[in-house]
Amino acid sequence: MNKQEIVYLPVSKLKPYKNNPRKISAQAVDAVCQAIHDVGFRRPLDVRPDMTLINGHTRLKAAKKLGLKEVPCIICTDLDDERIRKWRLEDNKTGEYSSWDADKLKAEIADLDFGNADFFPFDFETDTEKKKRWEESKALCDLKDRTALHKAGDLYYQSLMKVGKTGQPLAEIKNKGNTWMFADMALEFIRATLGENLSAGDWCIVTTPRRRHSNGFHFATAICQIMADALQIPFYKDAVTCINHNRVSPIFELKINPQQKNVILYDDILTTGCTLKATRDLLIEAGYTVVNLISVDNH
């Protein structure tokens, strides 16, 4: 194995790879900035002899944001173009295959102070634990119309139903048999508030991203498709995606830019509001007007 020499190079001379397929979120850059602030620039950038980056685009953006003049680098002279392109993809992809051990993470983070950083939304529940909590908390919904407007921080959202002491467990509500009923309630509200005839040129529907599974039946997607067909407006399936699909610290990406500037953002059940808020923020940042619509409020 060849020994790698670390050299310090001026940030101004480093060039991002123009066809880098990895999109970099502001959240990721802020997280790296915090890490550099805490321990310094500990991971060298991999660069080609012409100063084009191989790996480390997020670290370079963080360095620029922090105003660093030079950063540690490894100049790779022993790799051809094909090996570099494969390595770039492998390096970015491998992190998506790992998840967190909730118990160990909770113990590890218990006494740590991240200052004012709000880009570590650690969620210590596994899917099994969340389902168990729903069942143990007796969170039920009777599927009756209980329309209400809510405010959670800077997030306003309209809900159509709410949890209570009677009805079906939330874990059992999201099935194919309930899609038409959920869609009918949402359509009644949309027509009563936004008008009977929405213009396909002005409005569209988007749903929050799948957090774990990218394939198979998706309750909210099925509801959105019914609503879009009934209203004759576009539904942009998977417009916002979850890059890593982890329950802990997910990173969202606006993958499809709707042509319409008014968006009905729909989610079936809202518990924490984090996913809805992150999706809304991406859409607003891209210049869209967003109406947040929830079927069941479990906040």
Side-chain angles (χ1 to χ4, degrees), residues 3 116 295:
K3 291 184 178 180
N116 295 323
S295 280

Side-chain angles (χ1 to χ4, degrees), residues 37-104:
H37 178 269
D38 289 341
V39 300
F41 206 109
R42 297 278 175 169
R43 294 184 59 199
L45 306 179
D46 301 301
V47 302
R48 306 186 74 159
D50 66 355
M51 299 295 102
T52 300
L53 257 64
I54 299 173
N55 294 314
H57 289 77
T58 306
R59 278 169 278 156
L60 179 60
K61 281 200 169 188
K64 290 180 177 180
K65 185 170 183 178
L66 292 172
L68 302 184
K69 300 300 182 184
E70 59 180 18
V71 291
C73 299
I74 296 175
I75 302 176
C76 302
T77 59
D78 58 335
L79 300 176
D80 59 26
D81 185 64
E82 181 179 354
R83 293 170 69 189
I84 285 175
R85 289 169 59 204
K86 287 175 63 177
W87 178 28
R88 182 181 289 115
L89 296 173
E90 292 164 349
D91 184 62
N92 280 287
K93 187 65 179 177
T94 51
E96 299 178 16
Y97 295 132
S98 300
S99 58
W100 299 88
D101 182 308
D103 292 333
K104 291 180 179 179

Side-chain angles (χ1 to χ4, degrees), residues 191-241:
R191 286 167 172 153
T193 54
L194 300 180
E196 182 67 26
N197 297 309
L198 297 180
S199 170
D202 295 332
W203 287 90
C204 66
I205 299 177
V206 169
T207 190
T208 54
R210 301 169 184 244
R211 291 287 298 273
R212 296 285 289 177
H213 308 292
S214 58
N215 298 313
F217 174 73
H218 186 235
F219 191 61
T221 295
I223 294 167
C224 287
Q225 190 61 66
I226 295 171
M227 290 194 293
D229 291 344
L231 295 169
Q232 296 185 343
I233 62 176
F235 165 49
Y236 291 92
K237 181 181 177 182
D238 296 328
V240 178
T241 60

Side-chain angles (χ1 to χ4, degrees), residues 109-278:
I109 201 175
D111 60 347
L112 295 179
D113 180 10
F114 289 101
N116 295 323
D118 60 357
F119 41 78
F120 289 108
F122 287 118
D123 180 351
F124 301 108
E125 285 189 309
T126 64
D127 288 341
T128 301
E129 289 170 338
K130 182 176 181 180
K131 183 175 180 179
K132 182 179 179 182
R133 177 174 60 80
W134 276 4
E135 293 172 346
E136 291 178 346
S137 66
K138 304 299 182 185
L140 308 172
C141 181
D142 59 11
L143 304 182
K144 293 182 180 179
D145 186 354
R146 303 183 192 280
T147 305
L149 179 66
H150 306 271
K151 183 177 185 293
D154 68 342
L155 177 70
Y156 285 89
Y157 65 94
Q158 180 71 45
S159 69
L160 306 178
M161 296 172 277
K162 63 183 295 185
V163 297
K165 299 290 186 180
T166 61
Q168 299 181 35
L170 295 184
E172 298 176 6
I173 280 177
K174 296 167 69 167
N175 61 73
K176 292 182 180 180
N178 282 329
T179 54
W180 283 93
M181 186 274 290
F182 271 59
D184 285 343
M185 291 188 70
L187 286 168
E188 181 180 358
F189 176 81
I190 292 171
R191 286 167 172 153
T193 54
L194 300 180
E196 182 67 26
N197 297 309
L198 297 180
S199 170
D202 295 332
W203 287 90
C204 66
I205 299 177
V206 169
T207 190
T208 54
R210 301 169 184 244
R211 291 287 298 273
R212 296 285 289 177
H213 308 292
S214 58
N215 298 313
F217 174 73
H218 186 235
F219 191 61
T221 295
I223 294 167
C224 287
Q225 190 61 66
I226 295 171
M227 290 194 293
D229 291 344
L231 295 169
Q232 296 185 343
I233 62 176
F235 165 49
Y236 291 92
K237 181 181 177 182
D238 296 328
V240 178
T241 60
C242 192
I243 295 176
N244 55 10
H245 295 287
N246 292 334
R247 284 190 51 77
V248 180
S249 301
I251 299 175
F252 299 141
E253 174 188 6
L254 183 58
K255 198 168 185 178
I256 300 174
N257 289 89
Q259 297 180 6
Q260 298 73 21
K261 288 302 180 181
N262 299 306
V263 179
I264 299 170
L265 175 57
Y266 175 81
D267 202 357
D268 42 45
I269 299 175
L270 182 141
T271 299
T272 66
C274 293
T275 301
L276 183 73
K277 183 179 185 303

Side-chain angles (χ1 to χ4, degrees), residues 12-26:
S12 61
K13 291 188 177 181
L14 298 174
K15 300 177 292 185
Y17 175 50
K18 64 180 181 180
N19 198 41
N20 180 31
R22 187 72 163 178
K23 293 186 177 180
I24 302 173
S25 70

